[in-house]
Amino acid sequence: MKRKLLHIILLVMVCMPFANAQVSYTNNAILFYQENQYDKAMVYIDSALASPKEMNEAYTWYVRGMIFKDHYKQFETSMMDSKSRVKSVESFKKCMDLDAGKNEHTSNAMVNIKFLAGTYYNEMVKNLDTVNYEKAEPLYEKYKQTMRLVDPKMDFTKNDKEVYLFLGAQISRKFNFKKEGVTQKYFDMAIGVFNKVITLDSNDCNAHYQIAQLYYNYGVETILSLDDTTPLDKVIEAQNKCVTLFQKSLPHMKKAYQLSNCKSKKELVRALMGIYYQLNEMDKYNDLNTQLQLIKE
């Protein structure tokens, strides 16, 4: 409370020349904000935005940002679509626009925008699981969108790759080969997410390996689903499907093998051997098997 009071005192001191002979709506908003009466503080700050004397003051928008930020922290941290957080970010951005060239409040506004961006990122991390994964990417996009208000040229490539790799892994865990409907849905989703990583970095070993494993495992499970009672036409259909899946797996596993910086060399050789074996390319399988014997861990 002492820190908050000191912060408000400093704000009022900055605002004194602006207030002059009468108490402004902005200063009234500060008084209620100081007492944690956010509803009344919001009423006065909205009145300030309707006042010709205050509506174009960077300070007024800064105060509005602080009011909505603390309202979010107090009441809406569990709300993914918190309106207070959105209004706070908008207010700090408006403050920066009006403060251009003066730099009286811009640095503080930027600090607060970074804080609010961080809340989106933290929520994204909490939702990176097999239950809430669909919420994760929208939250991550909000994080990037908010951070770009501070630095429009910020490079998110490294973060993007980490997030998509983790997200893809969570989705991969969801699809069940014994449930035909959901198998294809989650398979396609996981492949799509890992391909986003490859779009960002064509030499990402992990992404290539994960895609190769998805295709390979799908093919193997398709084979295992066959039994003595499976009609011949279904057997032929499944065999053709398997060949297609193994062929799609091969280039990604070869790329991971060439890069060899995401798994041990032996593990990658064994994985590649498995694909050649399923494709009945025994010469290549035997060559790799010979190589495998020469690899020292």
Side-chain angles (χ1 to χ4, degrees):
M1 182 64 187
K2 289 182 178 180
R3 181 180 294 181
K4 182 173 179 179
L5 181 58
L6 177 61
H7 183 67
I8 296 301
I9 291 172
L10 291 173
L11 285 175
V12 173
M13 288 173 65
V14 172
C15 187
M16 288 301 291
F18 171 72
N20 290 327
Q22 62 180 5
V23 177
S24 67
Y25 290 117
T26 301
N27 283 343
N28 277 324
I30 290 174
L31 293 175
F32 286 111
Y33 166 68
Q34 179 184 345
E35 298 300 324
N36 296 329
Q37 297 186 48
Y38 298 109
D39 290 343
K40 291 183 179 179
M42 290 174 188
V43 170
Y44 274 101
I45 204 64
D46 284 344
S47 295
L49 297 185
S51 168
K53 293 182 179 180
E54 301 178 55
M55 62 191 302
N56 292 319
E57 293 292 330
Y59 175 73
T60 296
W61 286 94
Y62 181 78
V63 171
R64 185 176 189 263
M66 292 298 298
I67 291 170
F68 279 106
K69 185 191 84 167
D70 278 17
H71 185 266
Y72 159 74
K73 289 170 62 179
Q74 189 73 23
F75 303 108
E76 299 182 6
T77 53
S78 62
M79 298 169 59
M80 177 178 166
D81 57 348
S82 165
K83 293 182 179 178
S84 292
R85 176 165 52 183
V86 172
K87 290 180 179 179
S88 181
V89 171
E90 292 173 347
S91 298
F92 288 127
K93 176 60 169 64
K94 182 69 173 179
C95 167
M96 290 167 57
D97 292 341
L98 292 171
D99 197 42
K102 301 176 184 177
N103 296 320
E104 295 175 352
H105 308 290
T106 296
S107 60
N108 286 331
M110 290 173 67
V111 168
N112 283 289
I113 287 176
K114 288 179 180 178
F115 166 80
L116 292 164
T119 65
Y120 284 117
Y121 191 89
N122 292 337
E123 282 182 49
M124 179 273 295
V125 172
K126 290 178 182 177
N127 285 285
L128 272 175
D129 55 36
T130 57
V131 177
N132 301 297
Y133 66 94
E134 289 181 306
K135 299 177 183 177
E137 192 168 2
L139 284 165
Y140 182 57
E141 291 302 319
K142 288 294 294 183
Y143 158 73
K144 293 197 292 184
Q145 176 185 333
T146 305
M147 284 300 295
R148 284 196 176 104
L149 298 177
V150 176
D151 182 0
K153 296 182 179 179
M154 185 171 290
D155 184 4
F156 293 99
T157 302
K158 182 180 178 181
N159 273 354
D160 287 347
K161 288 169 58 178
E162 291 175 353
V163 170
Y164 290 138
L165 282 170
F166 201 91
L167 178 60
Q170 297 305 308
I171 296 172
S172 297
R173 293 171 58 191
K174 284 192 67 68
F175 71 94
N176 185 335
F177 290 108
K178 296 181 180 179
K179 294 183 179 179
E180 189 62 32
V182 298
T183 295
Q184 197 63 47
K185 171 186 174 183
Y186 292 121
F187 175 82
D188 291 341
M189 287 177 64
I191 292 291
V193 172
F194 287 128
N195 271 322
K196 288 184 178 182
V197 179
I198 292 176
T199 299
L200 292 166
D201 180 3
S202 61
N203 289 321
D204 190 282
C205 180
N206 277 302
H208 284 290
Y209 181 81
Q210 293 295 337
I211 291 175
Q213 283 292 92
L214 280 166
Y215 280 120
Y216 178 80
N217 289 338
Y218 199 175
V220 170
E221 291 294 334
T222 300
I223 293 172
L224 295 176
S225 68
L226 303 175
D227 56 39
D228 294 339
T229 63
T230 305
L232 181 59
D233 61 328
K234 294 295 182 182
V235 172
I236 295 173
E237 181 183 330
Q239 289 175 337
N240 291 334
K241 179 178 180 179
C242 289
V243 170
T244 299
L245 289 167
F246 294 137
Q247 287 174 337
K248 288 184 177 180
S249 174
L250 183 58
H252 291 286
M253 192 60 76
K254 286 173 69 175
K255 185 69 174 180
Y257 168 73
Q258 291 167 4
L259 295 166
S260 294
N261 58 7
C262 57
K263 299 288 180 181
S264 71
K265 195 73 173 180
K266 275 197 171 185
E267 189 172 352
L268 291 167
V269 170
R270 289 192 186 104
L272 199 52
M273 285 172 62
I275 299 172
Y276 281 129
Y277 183 85
Q278 296 296 345
L279 290 172
N280 200 31
E281 296 188 29
M282 301 313 295
D283 289 345
K284 293 179 180 178
Y285 172 88
N286 291 328
D287 288 344
L288 284 171
N289 192 33
T290 301
Q291 180 180 330
L292 184 64
Q293 310 310 315
L294 301 175
I295 296 175
K296 296 180 180 180
E297 291 291 357

